[in-house]
Amino acid sequence: MSLTPRRPLPQTPPPAAVPATPPAHKPTPAASLDAFVGDPNFMTSLARGLIVIQAFTQQNPQMTISQLSVRTGLSRAAVRRCLYTLTKLGFAGAEDGSRYSLRPRMLALSHTYTASNTLSSAAQPILERMSAALRESFSVATLDGEDIVYVARTTVSRVMAVDLHIGSRLPAYCTSMGRILLAYLPTEQLEQYLAHVVLTPHTPRTVTSVEKLRLILRNIRRNGYALCDQEYEIGLRSLAVPVFAPNGRAVATVNLSGSAPRLSSLEMQTRFLSHLRNAANEIAVFLR
């Protein structure tokens, strides 16, 4: 009988735990159309065309039908019909027959908005005058859903890695202009926003706590301005004030954006806060 000790049998690792529910996927733009099913006045075909248009971005200026289908959540057949219509009308096209892009005629739509929008047309010359005098970059934006949208802008130097222009969108929670517009929302609307917003950290400085953001917004409303220090992009610091409509609602915001190493928070407030407030008052006159 051998006295050699037995080797222990190899242990089989326990099976990996299976999550109770699969991870949630971000809904596609097409999923938003489900809310209008059964509405006889809702033009689904028009909505699909707008979804296809909005799928083109600076990062994805050219896409195939398959790529657009994945990006939008629309069927390939629906995307093909939308592109066919847009191409026939001159708003889109494909040089190689497969990769589509938007055409310059699309600019007519944005020009129609800026030319007919009182806020945009009134703000642009005021920003240009400030930029010429102060040699800084200024912007005006409004709130659209969870984002701010630029409606007027002047630049004297490139202060952001992202190329911003009229129509650009940025998250509201981590930008000075966004926080101004959030701070002056009616309480019910603000709470709805805070209940659904995902506070993604864009930099190590980004505030990702709802309670901390709520406190910041309370202080902004008390002080009448917002200062955001490198929360959306490292090296970018910005200061913003509200533009009030005659009914007292903050319908827009004016901001100064600059390089953090060049402009300190104190300098921004002491040198430029009064200029921003004067510009906001000038713009507000046109909203009456």
Side-chain angles (χ1 to χ4, degrees), residues 83-261:
L83 289 172
Y84 177 84
T85 304
L86 291 170
T87 299
K88 287 295 184 181
L89 294 176
F91 291 105
E95 296 294 342
D96 60 359
S98 62
R99 295 179 63 81
Y100 287 83
S101 62
L102 299 180
R103 291 290 182 258
R105 189 171 187 182
M106 194 62 66
L107 292 172
L109 300 180
S110 62
H111 174 72
T112 300
Y113 171 79
T114 55
S116 62
N117 183 267
T118 301
L119 175 63
S120 180
S121 58
Q124 191 63 39
I126 294 172
L127 299 188
E128 290 173 358
R129 189 183 69 235
M130 278 205 303
S131 283
L134 303 173
R135 305 306 303 163
E136 298 292 345
S137 300
F138 298 95
S139 306
V140 171
T142 58
L143 190 65
D144 183 26
E146 296 186 356
D147 297 332
I148 57 168
V149 180
Y150 285 73
V151 298
R153 179 164 170 78
T154 60
T155 59
V156 295
S157 62
R158 184 74 172 271
V159 294
M160 294 185 70
V162 179
D163 182 21
L164 294 177
H165 51 270
I166 295 175
S168 292
R169 304 175 72 92
L170 292 179
Y173 67 90
C174 59
T175 56
S176 62
M177 291 196 289
R179 286 182 177 173
I180 281 288
L181 295 168
L182 293 175
Y184 287 91
L185 281 178
T187 302
E188 183 179 350
Q189 290 184 34
L190 176 59
E191 290 306 317
Q192 289 176 354
Y193 169 86
L194 294 175
H196 296 96
V197 67
V198 178
L199 303 180
T200 303
H202 290 273
T203 77
R205 293 173 174 260
T206 307
V207 171
T208 56
S209 163
V210 169
E211 288 308 314
K212 187 172 181 179
L213 179 58
R214 184 182 278 110
L215 177 61
I216 289 171
L217 297 178
R218 191 178 304 132
N219 289 333
I220 288 171
R221 186 153 186 158
R222 180 166 55 246
N223 297 328
Y225 68 88
L227 179 66
C228 209
D229 190 3
Q230 306 179 78
E231 291 193 43
Y232 181 73
E233 182 179 302
I234 291 296
L236 176 71
R237 185 174 286 134
S238 61
L239 179 70
V241 300
V243 176
F244 294 104
N247 62 3
R249 293 284 298 271
V251 295
T253 172
V254 188
N255 101 321
L256 156 74
S257 54
S259 167

Side-chain angles (χ1 to χ4, degrees), residues 20-38:
T21 56
H25 294 285
K26 185 178 180 180
T28 61
S32 64
L33 303 184
D34 294 342
F36 303 99
V37 172

Side-chain angles (χ1 to χ4, degrees), residues 4-87:
T4 304
R6 281 179 159 181
R7 292 182 181 178
L9 295 173
Q11 296 286 329
T12 303
V18 178
T21 56
H25 294 285
K26 185 178 180 180
T28 61
S32 64
L33 303 184
D34 294 342
F36 303 99
V37 172
D39 185 343
N41 295 314
F42 186 78
M43 293 183 62
T44 304
S45 58
L46 175 59
R48 288 171 178 165
L50 293 173
I51 286 174
V52 169
I53 290 173
Q54 293 176 86
F56 292 97
T57 64
Q58 185 176 8
Q59 294 74 28
N60 297 281
Q62 294 184 327
M63 284 181 282
T64 64
I65 290 175
S66 295
Q67 290 171 330
L68 281 164
S69 177
V70 172
R71 190 174 181 85
T72 62
L74 298 170
S75 68
R76 287 166 54 95
V79 171
R80 184 180 295 107
R81 289 194 299 271
C82 290
L83 289 172
Y84 177 84
T85 304
L86 291 170
T87 299

